[in-house]
Amino acid sequence: MNLAEQPDHLSPVQISAQPTSVTVARPTLLCLSHLRWGFVYQRPQHVMSRLARDYDVLFFEEPVFADTPLADLETSEPASGITLLVPRLPHGMEPQQIVASQRQLLDDYLAARSPGELLLWYLTPMSLSFTDHLNAQVTIFDCMDELSAFKGAPPDLLEKEKQLLGKADVVFTGGYSLWQAKRSQHQNAHAVPSSVDVAHFAKARSPLPEPADQGLIGRPRLGFFGVIDERFDIELVGELASQRLDWQIVLIGPVVKIDPATLPRQSNIHYLGAKSYAELPAYLSGWDVALMPFAINESTRFISPTKTPEYLAGGCPVVSTPVQDVINGYGDSGVVSIAATSHAFILAIEAALGTRSSADFARRADQVLDGMSWDNTCAVMKEQIECLR
């Protein structure tokens, strides 16, 4: 129909010059975690704080038990766009009561929110016990580690993981070895190794004020930061300290799931405890060599240590035991040495001492880190999620 043929009964319609704005509710991303937000700042915090730019992130932790007559859900906002949810349950609950209480607390909380799209992000399959009824637009399994191989793993974890793999729309793994193990179990599995905030750790490439508890420790200094647990090679660290009394070993991080009394206590080993993420560059700046003394056992078979690129971003040469993902990712880099025995570890440290200040080391480290960032890692994850929405 042309303009001349328009019917007479049509009249002009007034159009406002100011378009009406429409508010679209952001999707809710519920992250179900076995790790606490305030424990060690690592993959979950990096990923969730970035995804919070586009989603309303709820970070649901495992319960804490208290002298309280009723179950309650404690809420807080540890970072922009992140709501932390911690169930507080009475002591003495039976396992079935714990599951039922978490389900009720979570259901009530979600019901009180504006209705909208729900995304489920599992860091642990065990959370299926109280969330298997939720209707999610997309279900994500971020398989950071082979949790079933860790000390104290629940006996039904493998069965829960099998259920989650059947439910998940997409699976991310924390490294390539883990992806090789999971790709046959899920048709949409992707290796998404943990990354690094280069700018944060690059501060350590310049001299920084020494932290008070490290400033009086002599040199050369060999350092480690991370969780000290069953993955930590206690015997190796003890042998290093005994065989090279002139080396000072600085260990930063909480001791978890192992008896602190079993740790070596030579005078040249310094346990400085847990430090905040913001403090780490100041400690790293004062090290001559960074260590990754992981025991080679079932708990480390699939790990892909985040600290490898963090050490390198801080300008520190690295010596590691033969963790498969470290060998595959950094073995030929020229800035990470792999050593399988205490003797080889000592030789590798001796060769690494003094290389930190060289321009060649910095160039090689930058080549390894080229293109690595948490922003890029999260963009890969977000693309997968958006394709499924």
Side-chain angles (χ1 to χ4, degrees):
M1 181 171 66
N2 58 41
L3 290 177
E5 296 171 330
Q6 289 188 63
D8 295 335
H9 66 271
L10 290 181
S11 58
V13 176
Q14 185 175 1
I15 299 175
S16 172
Q18 297 295 327
T20 302
S21 61
V22 177
T23 301
V24 179
R26 302 201 318 166
T28 295
L29 191 159
L30 174 59
C31 178
L32 299 143
S33 178
H34 61 295
L35 299 170
R36 301 208 178 274
W37 184 273
F39 180 49
V40 175
Y41 201 92
Q42 51 188 310
R43 180 184 179 102
Q45 292 88 340
H46 281 293
V47 171
M48 290 301 135
S49 62
R50 285 163 173 80
L51 291 179
R53 299 166 186 168
D54 301 292
Y55 310 124
D56 290 336
V57 175
L58 308 178
F59 194 87
F60 194 94
E61 292 187 352
E62 292 186 336
V64 296
F65 295 90
D67 294 324
T68 177
L70 299 174
D72 188 24
L73 191 63
E74 185 178 275
T75 65
S76 61
E77 296 183 7
S80 177
I82 307 289
T83 300
L84 180 62
L85 306 176
V86 185
R88 291 176 58 83
L89 306 182
H91 285 298
M93 275 189 157
E94 296 294 330
Q96 299 90 335
Q97 293 175 309
I98 294 173
V99 169
S101 293
Q102 290 181 91
R103 183 187 297 261
Q104 189 64 57
L105 289 170
L106 182 56
D107 285 354
D108 290 348
Y109 185 87
L110 292 176
R113 292 174 59 86
S114 299
E117 195 174 352
L118 178 65
L119 312 176
L120 290 177
W121 185 293
Y122 288 89
L123 292 173
T124 169
M126 299 307 296
S127 297
L128 266 181
S129 299
F130 57 91
T131 60
D132 57 358
H133 64 295
L134 295 177
N135 184 23
Q137 184 72 20
V138 183
T139 298
I140 304 108
F141 179 21
D142 188 11
C143 185
M144 292 172 50
D145 295 292
E146 188 64 88
L147 296 179
S148 62
F150 283 17
K151 188 174 182 179
D156 58 340
L157 193 149
L158 282 175
E159 179 57 33
K160 290 294 183 189
E161 182 178 276
K162 182 179 179 181
Q163 294 173 22
L164 180 54
L165 287 168
K167 181 183 179 73
D169 298 298
V170 62
V171 175
F172 302 130
T173 66
Y176 287 99
S177 294
L178 196 52
W179 172 72
Q180 289 172 334
K182 301 299 179 187
R183 62 177 174 172
S184 62
Q185 302 174 43
H186 198 281
Q187 62 181 1
N188 194 24
H190 304 268
V192 187
S194 293
S195 193
V196 59
D197 183 343
V198 172
H200 179 71
F201 286 97
K203 301 170 191 173
R205 294 196 179 194
S206 302
L208 296 175
E210 283 273 17
D213 54 354
Q214 182 171 274
L216 298 179
I217 297 174
R219 303 188 85 142
R221 280 190 210 135
L222 319 175
F224 167 90
F225 57 64
V227 179
I228 300 172
D229 57 14
E230 75 269 26
R231 296 170 295 176
F232 194 76
D233 194 330
I234 295 171
E235 289 74 19
L236 173 60
V237 173
E239 289 177 22
L240 292 179
S242 295
Q243 295 183 36
R244 293 303 302 263
L245 298 176
D246 54 322
W247 290 352
Q248 304 300 315
I249 301 173
V250 176
L251 303 176
I252 291 174
V255 178
V256 178
K257 295 192 291 185
I258 60 173
D259 183 355
T262 64
L263 297 173
R265 296 291 174 178
Q266 289 93 320
S267 61
N268 57 335
I269 300 178
H270 309 271
Y271 297 93
L272 303 188
K275 305 298 176 184
S276 71
Y277 183 72
E279 294 175 292
L280 295 180
Y283 286 91
L284 181 56
S285 175
W287 298 349
D288 298 289
V289 177
L291 305 180
M292 295 205 302
F294 289 107
I296 304 303
N297 56 32
E298 281 301 305
S299 67
T300 60
R301 182 181 173 189
F302 298 111
I303 65 170
S304 183
T306 308
K307 58 184 56 58
T308 317
E310 291 175 343
Y311 289 158
L312 295 178
C316 202
V318 181
V319 178
S320 174
T321 49
V323 173
Q324 194 58 53
D325 274 11
V326 178
I327 295 172
N328 293 341
Y330 303 92
D332 297 326
S333 66
V335 289
V336 177
S337 301
I338 309 296
T341 66
S342 59
H343 177 68
F345 218 83
I346 289 172
L347 292 178
I349 293 170
E350 289 176 340
L353 286 170
T355 62
R356 175 170 186 151
S357 59
S358 73
D360 182 62
F361 174 85
R363 178 184 60 80
R364 287 173 178 264
D366 288 342
Q367 286 177 341
V368 171
L369 297 170
D370 186 38
M372 292 183 67
S373 75
W374 281 111
D375 286 342
N376 289 344
T377 297
C378 289
V380 169
M381 292 173 154
K382 185 170 180 288
E383 181 180 12
Q384 290 293 327
I385 295 170
E386 290 302 305
C387 286
L388 293 163
R389 284 181 62 196

